[in-house]
């Protein structure tokens, strides 16, 4: 039941963080002195994943140069980390959308099942429980469902009086795609030749065919789409709410 490979989507331009991404690709934004990408790699390493494929695009060379400076290159764009883990930087096109990047990444795989996540968010999801959910549901793909972070403080009103005021980080209802997928190569038949987002027609078709299951995660999850979200993530780490490896 062990899954040895993971894809990390790391090719987008990160336009909502253009203050930083003009010069640094989004997955390389530093969170507490380490790029987001390295935190994600360490997460998968901690669960024994030994083959990590970083699906790059925008500023591919920036990522390559970072790895050349910090790790041992065993062959072109493939680097050796400790615990027998290898990271391969796979250029999947400058303007490719997520489905196209996954399609290109699958060609590198030597096993049936694999993990997938986005290069712009961190979580303490239990990968073992997520994997068990994937096998138990016998689906082609399992997505980690998370509570959406609340953008605004909450008010509880009674007539015209505020009886409760709170700055909640997560809402108490509804679920969103938190990334951290497990899937089989069977997903490939849902990937067309069109350049389209994985979150569009592929996941919609998987859902329609009852081949997409969800694992509900109520723990920590934080994406980094804005400078404020970067600050929230760093505050969570400093406070001990979320522990990085």
């Amino acid at each position: 039941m062990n899954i040895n490979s993971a894809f990390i989507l790391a090719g987008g331009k990160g336009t909502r963080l253009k203050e930083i991404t003009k010069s640094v690709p989004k997955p390389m934004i530093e969170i507490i002195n380490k790029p987001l990408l390295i935190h994600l790699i360490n997460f998968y390493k901690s669960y024994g994943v030994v083959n990590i494929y970083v699906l790059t695009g925008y500023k591919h060379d920036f990522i390559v140069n970072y790895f050349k400076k910090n790790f041992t290159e065993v062959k072109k764009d493939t680097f050796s980390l400790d615990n027998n883990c290898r990271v391969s930087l796979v250029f999947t096109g400058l303007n490719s959308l997520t489905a196209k990047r996954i399609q290109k990444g699958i060609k590198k795989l030597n096993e049936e099942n694999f993990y997938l996540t986005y290069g712009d968010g961190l979580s303490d999801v239990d990968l073992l429980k997520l994997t068990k959910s994937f096998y138990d549901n016998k689906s082609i793909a399992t997505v980690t469902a998370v509570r959406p972070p609340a953008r605004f403080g909450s008010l509880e009103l009674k007539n015209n009086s505020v009886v409760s005021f709170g700055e909640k980080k997560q809402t108490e209802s509804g679920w969103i795609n938190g990334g951290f997928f497990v899937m089989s190569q069977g997903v490939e038949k849902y990937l067309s030749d069109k350049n389209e987002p994985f979150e569009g027609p592929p996941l919609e078709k998987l859902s329609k065919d009852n081949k997409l299951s969800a694992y509900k995660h109520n723990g920590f999850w934080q994406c980094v789409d804005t400078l404020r979200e970067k600050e929230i993530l760093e505050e969570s780490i400093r406070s001990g709410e979320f522990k990085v490896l």
Side-chain angles (χ1 to χ4, degrees):
M1 285 181 61
N2 288 345
I3 297 176
N4 297 309
S5 299
F7 289 165
I8 300 175
L9 291 161
K13 295 180 180 178
T15 53
R16 281 180 284 186
L17 264 170
K18 60 184 178 182
E19 306 96 323
I20 302 175
T21 55
K22 282 182 180 179
S23 55
V24 177
K26 192 176 180 184
M28 299 303 290
I29 291 173
E30 287 203 350
I31 302 294
I32 311 291
N33 301 319
K34 281 186 184 177
L36 264 167
L37 180 59
I38 299 302
H39 290 303
L40 282 167
I41 288 170
N42 288 340
F43 167 77
Y44 283 111
K45 274 178 53 185
S46 73
Y47 283 95
V49 177
V50 294
N51 300 308
I52 297 175
Y53 300 88
V54 182
L55 308 181
T56 71
Y58 178 66
K59 293 194 178 294
H60 168 80
D61 290 343
F62 185 105
I63 301 175
V64 169
N65 290 336
Y66 176 90
F67 275 81
K68 283 185 174 180
K69 183 178 178 181
N70 292 279
F71 302 103
T72 301
E73 189 170 17
V74 292
K75 63 179 182 179
K76 182 175 170 56
D77 293 351
T78 298
F79 299 83
S80 176
L81 280 65
D82 55 348
N83 299 329
N84 300 314
C85 179
R86 288 194 173 190
V87 175
S88 299
L89 309 179
V90 182
F91 181 72
T92 54
L94 184 60
N95 297 308
S96 298
L97 298 179
T98 46
K100 184 62 65 178
R101 296 194 194 283
I102 295 167
Q103 192 176 49
K104 292 181 178 181
I106 285 176
K107 299 183 188 305
K108 303 284 184 181
L109 272 181
N110 292 317
E111 63 177 322
E112 175 63 20
N113 301 319
F114 60 98
Y115 298 114
L116 168 77
T117 197
Y118 304 100
D120 61 357
L122 298 177
S123 177
D124 61 2
V125 60
D126 187 320
L127 207 60
L128 297 179
K129 291 181 179 179
L130 171 61
T131 305
K132 183 179 185 301
S133 175
F134 168 72
Y135 284 115
D136 287 349
N137 282 287
K138 298 179 180 178
S139 49
I140 288 176
T142 298
V143 59
T144 298
V146 299
R147 299 291 192 184
R151 292 178 59 210
F152 308 103
S154 63
L155 297 178
E156 184 181 342
L157 304 179
K158 186 174 183 180
N159 298 322
N160 292 327
S161 297
V162 177
V163 295
S164 175
F165 183 92
E167 292 291 338
K168 295 183 181 179
K169 289 190 176 179
Q170 289 185 312
T171 59
E172 295 179 350
S173 62
W175 298 90
I176 60 171
N177 168 16
F180 295 94
F181 293 86
V182 190
M183 58 186 69
S184 75
Q185 288 207 34
V187 76
E188 192 170 18
K189 72 178 184 180
Y190 290 87
L191 306 176
S192 72
D193 290 332
K194 296 177 182 177
N195 188 22
E196 59 191 11
F198 183 58
E199 306 76 24
L203 285 181
E204 290 167 5
K205 290 174 186 173
L206 279 163
S207 176
K208 187 176 180 181
D209 290 350
N210 292 317
K211 298 296 183 182
L212 177 65
S213 60
Y215 172 75
K216 294 178 179 178
H217 174 59
N218 284 297
F220 183 86
W221 177 87
Q222 180 62 56
C223 63
V224 181
D225 275 334
T226 65
L227 283 174
R228 177 58 188 144
E229 287 171 342
K230 176 181 183 294
E231 292 168 358
I232 290 171
L233 177 54
E234 291 180 321
E235 287 167 7
S236 298
I237 295 169
R238 291 192 183 101
S239 71
E241 180 186 356
F242 176 63
K243 184 178 179 181
V244 292
L245 303 171

